[in-house]
């Protein structure tokens, strides 16, 4: 098993099953809020000088919640006997047996991740936008979602099964057998052949539909679907992302490898309907059922737009990673581009960041390489023939004209060629997708050293081998570093 992937199926629950699903989603929200309440109470006790450990990790939060749910604070009854005496009976959380136990545990794990992100953001260890302290989940606004881990019994039977009774079903503990709309044949074959195993199942409600996402640990793709070792004749393909042409792919020699001009622009295409539905929401009285129905219609429209964009991005990324083993993609400052009020809507509709994410992990699955080009590399205004950097080009100038050699080319095509040239010049620093750094091949394979077997480390690999006869003593040989060019 080498990669994680997700299979998403739309659920068609019965009326009784939907009640159980909503009960589990409410339990997950309750467990998250209660764990956060325990954290805040412990922090307040710390500030008041009262001792005690503040539960911060997912493991500590699970233990704190389990201790709370059996305590009198979670539930108690006043029992009156025949002689008039009243005693207190501790019941704990009385309804906890109506939902699966893992729902509370996974909610505590989610809160632990949020607290860890908050700590890392404050210390500077976390990049990107600063993460704030977790907040309580609202009963009205929080999305309905919960997660259950897959466990295997001693007999080898998993508690999350696919296609057990009929092909289009998913069986989960405490929920029973749920009917799904999509075909589960591909996942069932992978599970039957041992090429995948289910790790967890996340059930969520979005835009009026229930869906289950099965996170699986799957084996690597078949060798026929993976890229073969690159030969000397294989070159890099630069990918330029734009708004007029969605992508333009070209090689360093100037040949165009692909172009997508007609992209759906789902947000702009549905803007008229979105405005009409948004007006319907604002015209309804706050808190009324008609307003809730209008908001649901607007939510379904947004979900349809997102699904259209997601399908298109997967189609484009699949085509690129299947046909090219070396891709060079420009590094864009999308957050800065979104500050331009004239381009913000178009940039958001293009979803360039999501396309880069899809290309990254799909190229890794297929054994290819994807290198990000330096952000400050002037790919648009550099001549692909004589390498002369021209002055700044306005957005309305769609043709690049070199003032030095007279070279003319499409603006996006010239940028894609320059991206491929940059990758060719920096081909020695191919990034290792698993290690996150350049490939240095500094360590030999398993069992390749003297008197070693597979799985063992030779003395040469460990750096403890004695000097061979005739070797120069003194300062040891310098090892290759990640920045070395001796590759």
């Amino acid at each position: 098993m080498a990669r994680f992937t997700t299979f998403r199926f739309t659920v068609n629950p019965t009326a009784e099953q939907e009640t159980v699903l909503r009960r589990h989603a409410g339990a997950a929200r309750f467990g998250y809020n209660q764990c956060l309440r325990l954290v805040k109470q412990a922090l307040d006790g710390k500030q008041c000088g009262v001792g005690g450990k503040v539960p911060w990790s997912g493991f500590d939060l699970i233990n704190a919640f389990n201790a709370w749910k059996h305590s009198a604070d979670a539930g108690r009854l006043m029992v009156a006997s025949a002689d008039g005496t009243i005693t207190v009976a501790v019941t704990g959380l009385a309804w906890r047996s109506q939902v699966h136990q893992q729902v509370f545990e996974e909610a505590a794990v989610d809160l632990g991740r949020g607290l860890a992100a908050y700590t890392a953001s404050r210390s500077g260890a976390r990049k990107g936008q600063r993460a704030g302290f977790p907040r309580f989940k609202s009963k009205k606004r929080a999305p309905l979602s919960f997660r259950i881990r897959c466990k295997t019994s001693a007999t080898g039977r998993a508690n999350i099964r696919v296609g057990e009774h009929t092909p289009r079903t998913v069986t989960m503990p405490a929920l029973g057998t749920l009917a799904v709309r999509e075909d589960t044949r591909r996942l069932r074959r992978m599970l039957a052949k041992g090429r995948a195993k289910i790790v967890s199942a996340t059930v969520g409600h979005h835009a009026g539909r229930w869906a289950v996402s099965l996170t699986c640990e799957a084996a690597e793709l078949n060798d026929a679907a993976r890229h073969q070792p690159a030969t000397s004749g294989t070159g890099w393909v630069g990918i330029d992302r734009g708004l007029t042409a969605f992508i333009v792919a070209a090689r360093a020699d100037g040949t165009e490898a692909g172009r997508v001009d007609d992209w759906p622009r789902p947000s702009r295409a549905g803007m008229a309907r979105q405005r009409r539905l948004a007006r319907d929401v604002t015209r309804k009285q706050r808190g009324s059922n008609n307003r809730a129905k209008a908001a649901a219609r607007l939510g379904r429209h947004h979900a349809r737009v997102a699904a259209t964009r997601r399908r298109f991005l997967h189609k484009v990324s699949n085509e690129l990673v299947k046909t090219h083993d070396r891709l060079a993609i420009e590094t864009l400052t999308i957050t800065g581009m979104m500050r331009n009020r004239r381009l913000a809507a178009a940039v958001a509709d293009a979803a360039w960041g999501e396309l880069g994410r899809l290309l990254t992990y799909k190229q890794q699955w297929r054994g290819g390489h994807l290198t990000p080009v330096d952000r400050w590399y002037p790919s648009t205004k550099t001549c692909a023939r004589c390498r002369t950097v021209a002055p700044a080009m306005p957005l309305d100038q769609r043709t690049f004209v070199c003032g030095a050699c007279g070279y003319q080319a499409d603006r996006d095509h010239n940028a894609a060629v320059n991206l491929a040239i940059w990758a060719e010049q920096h081909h020695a620093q191919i990034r290792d997708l698993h290690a996150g750094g350049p490939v240095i091949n500094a360590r030999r394979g398993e069992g390749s050293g003297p008197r070693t077997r597979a799985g063992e480390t030779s003395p040469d690999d460990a750096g403890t081998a004695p000097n061979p006869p005739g070797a120069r003593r003194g300062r040891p040989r310098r090892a290759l570093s990640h920045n070395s060019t001796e590759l």
Side-chain angles (χ1 to χ4, degrees):
M1 302 299 176
R3 62 189 178 101
F4 286 91
T5 184
T6 302
F7 291 84
R8 186 177 183 272
F9 306 104
T10 305
V11 180
N12 286 332
T14 61
E16 295 79 6
Q17 289 177 341
E18 185 166 1
T19 302
V20 177
L21 291 175
R22 290 185 177 274
R23 183 183 300 139
H24 279 71
R29 178 190 55 81
F30 175 83
Y32 182 93
N33 290 341
Q34 181 57 36
C35 290
L36 182 57
R37 191 174 295 110
L38 294 175
V39 172
K40 290 193 172 185
Q41 290 176 359
L43 290 175
D44 293 340
K46 282 275 188 182
Q47 295 175 359
C48 296
V50 181
K53 180 181 179 181
V54 178
W56 204 261
S57 64
F59 183 78
D60 294 338
L61 290 170
I62 291 175
N63 292 336
F65 182 84
N66 290 337
W68 172 85
K69 71 180 181 181
H70 294 288
S71 64
D73 295 336
R76 57 184 180 272
L77 294 175
M78 309 297 290
V79 181
S81 60
D83 57 358
T85 60
I86 298 177
T87 58
V88 179
V90 177
T91 61
L93 198 61
W95 52 270
R96 65 180 183 271
S97 60
Q98 300 179 9
V99 297
H100 199 274
Q101 170 63 24
Q102 293 183 6
V103 172
F104 300 113
E105 297 178 358
E106 293 300 313
V109 171
D110 291 341
L111 178 59
R113 292 174 180 172
L115 294 173
Y118 168 74
T119 304
S121 181
R122 291 199 63 183
S123 62
R126 184 177 185 269
K127 298 180 180 180
Q129 188 177 4
R130 184 170 183 177
F133 193 81
R135 300 180 181 180
F136 291 104
K137 292 186 176 181
S138 172
K139 187 175 182 179
K140 294 183 179 180
R141 294 185 296 271
L144 301 177
S145 177
F146 63 92
R147 186 171 62 252
I148 296 178
R149 298 188 307 273
C150 182
K151 291 187 176 181
T152 305
S153 63
T155 59
R157 182 180 177 84
N159 60 355
I160 300 178
R161 300 176 294 275
V162 180
E164 183 180 23
H165 302 290
T166 57
R168 301 194 178 192
T169 57
V170 176
T171 304
M172 300 177 60
L175 299 176
T177 301
L178 303 174
V180 298
R181 297 184 183 181
E182 292 81 9
D183 190 6
T184 62
R185 180 182 303 175
R186 181 182 179 186
L187 179 57
R188 286 186 286 111
R189 287 180 176 179
M190 294 179 65
L191 294 173
K193 295 180 180 180
R195 292 184 55 83
K197 62 178 181 180
I198 300 177
V199 178
S200 64
T202 303
V203 182
H205 183 268
H206 183 63
R209 294 182 179 180
W210 287 95
V212 55
S213 299
L214 301 179
T215 302
C216 303
E217 185 181 359
E220 293 185 354
L221 296 179
N222 192 285
D223 292 339
R226 292 173 58 86
H227 295 296
Q228 301 300 322
T231 60
S232 58
T234 304
W236 288 85
V237 175
I239 300 176
D240 180 75
R241 293 170 287 183
L243 298 178
T244 303
F246 185 73
I247 64 162
V248 176
R251 300 186 182 276
D253 57 0
T255 59
E256 188 170 291
R259 174 185 286 265
V260 177
D261 290 321
D262 298 331
W263 55 292
R265 292 182 172 88
S267 181
R268 190 177 72 173
M271 185 56 63
R273 177 178 175 82
Q274 177 180 335
R275 291 174 178 172
R276 183 172 65 254
L277 294 176
R279 285 196 300 265
D280 292 342
V281 175
T282 57
R283 290 171 179 173
K284 302 298 186 294
Q285 185 179 0
R286 289 183 179 273
S288 63
N289 291 333
N290 287 334
R291 188 182 179 94
K293 294 178 182 178
R297 288 193 294 268
L298 179 60
R300 288 194 294 270
H301 169 75
H302 282 293
R304 189 179 302 109
V305 169
T308 304
R309 182 185 298 111
R310 189 184 313 114
R311 181 180 180 85
F312 171 73
L313 293 177
H314 277 288
K315 179 180 178 181
V316 173
S317 59
N318 287 337
E319 184 66 24
L320 288 174
V321 300
K322 287 180 181 179
T323 54
H324 308 292
D325 61 341
R326 293 186 177 186
L327 299 176
I329 188 169
E330 56 184 340
T331 303
L332 300 176
T333 312
I334 301 177
T335 305
M337 294 180 180
M338 293 289 291
R339 297 174 183 172
N340 188 340
R341 61 183 180 87
R342 298 179 179 178
L343 297 177
V347 172
D349 200 7
W352 290 333
E354 180 66 12
L355 177 63
R357 188 187 70 86
L358 297 178
L359 289 174
T360 300
Y361 80 80
K362 289 183 179 182
Q363 192 73 307
Q364 180 178 353
W365 282 359
R366 295 184 177 271
H369 297 286
L370 186 142
T371 179
V373 180
D374 185 16
R375 177 183 300 179
W376 307 110
Y377 177 66
S379 60
T380 302
K381 57 183 182 179
T382 301
C383 179
R385 178 180 297 175
C386 66
R387 316 306 300 157
T388 301
V389 180
M393 292 180 58
L395 293 178
D396 57 352
Q397 183 177 346
R398 306 310 306 170
T399 302
F400 174 82
V401 179
C402 180
C405 65
Y407 173 74
Q408 295 185 10
D410 179 71
R411 174 196 184 104
D412 300 328
H413 177 81
N414 179 73
V417 173
N418 287 326
L419 295 175
I421 293 175
W422 186 94
E424 291 284 355
Q425 295 174 352
H426 299 76
H427 70 280
Q429 294 292 334
I430 298 176
R431 295 182 60 83
D432 187 355
L433 298 178
H434 296 281
V439 175
I440 59 175
N441 297 327
R443 188 182 182 277
R444 65 181 70 209
E446 292 184 342
S448 60
R451 298 181 299 277
T452 58
R453 296 186 300 271
E456 295 183 349
T457 304
S458 69
D460 295 336
D461 296 333
T464 59
N467 293 328
R472 182 167 57 93
R473 298 181 181 271
R475 188 176 61 180
R477 182 183 301 176
R478 180 178 62 87
L480 285 177
S481 64
H482 287 280
N483 296 325
S484 176
T485 58
E486 302 173 9
L487 302 177

